[in-house]
Structure formats: structure tokens, C-alpha cells
């Protein structure tokens, strides 16, 4: 959920966004670069409760260091940074 708890984000190959009070279909906000590859894909997801920026973890191949992609609430890329092996959790202070 975002900081105001009115929008749900989830991974199902792609990153989807769905307004909590909506009856419409969820929308793909971030397309997976791994479409069609069942062995790869996004591994972790969270939304910063203060800024509503979206953080997506990519475990790549579960052997090398992973990547975290940061997106604006609208799904626009902000930056990418390398992290440890199999990133899956986030914490905000």
C-alpha cells in the first residue's frame, strides 16, 4: 500500500497498481523486463510510506548481487542501485 493506504501495488510478473476503493481492473504501472521468462522476474516490492515512491527488487539469477529500481508514484524511473544477493525486503526510517 502507498502512504495514504488508498492504492495497492503488487507483483504478478509486472508491477500492478489498483485503487483500494475501485471496482475497475488493476493497471500495469511497470512492465517486467523478463516477460515470457518464468524463471526470472521481480522479487520484492514496497512503497515508501512518506513519498509513495515504488521500490522494486530484482534478484537477477539468485547468485549475483541484485538490483533495486526506484520509481515515482506514477511509475517513472528515478534510479537503480546494486544491492546484496537475493534482495527481498525494505525498511524505512
Amino acid at each position: 500500500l502507498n502512504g495514504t493506504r488508498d492504492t495497492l501495488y503488487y507483483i504478478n510478473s509486472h508491477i500492478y497498481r489498483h485503487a483500494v476503493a475501485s471496482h475497475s481492473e488493476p493497471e500495469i504501472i511497470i512492465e517486467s523486463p523478463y516477460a515470457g521468462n518464468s524463471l526470472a522476474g521481480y522479487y520484492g516490492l514496497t512503497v515508501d510510506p512518506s513519498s509513495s515512491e515504488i521500490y522494486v527488487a530484482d534478484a537477477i539469477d539468485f547468485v549475483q548481487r541484485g538490483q533495486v529500481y526506484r520509481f515515482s508514484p506514477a511509475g517513472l524511473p528515478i534510479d537503480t542501485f546494486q544491492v546484496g544477493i537475493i534482495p527481498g525486503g525494505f525498511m524505512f526510517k
Side-chain angles (χ1 to χ4, degrees), residues 17-41:
R17 174 175 63 188
H18 189 260
V20 172
S22 174
H23 295 289
S24 64
E25 293 290 318
E27 66 176 311
I28 295 174
I29 188 169
I30 302 165
E31 291 198 26
S32 172
Y34 302 108
N37 184 348
S38 63
L39 299 177

Side-chain angles (χ1 to χ4, degrees), residues 11-68:
I11 302 171
N12 184 9
S13 182
H14 307 291
I15 306 298
Y16 289 81
R17 174 175 63 188
H18 189 260
V20 172
S22 174
H23 295 289
S24 64
E25 293 290 318
E27 66 176 311
I28 295 174
I29 188 169
I30 302 165
E31 291 198 26
S32 172
Y34 302 108
N37 184 348
S38 63
L39 299 177
Y42 293 135
Y43 189 72
L45 170 70
T46 197
V47 179
D48 184 325
S50 298
S51 67
S52 291
E53 290 176 338
I54 304 161
Y55 288 76
V56 181
D58 184 348
I60 303 175
D61 60 6
F62 298 90
V63 176
Q64 63 182 301
R65 292 176 64 184
Q67 294 281 333
V68 169

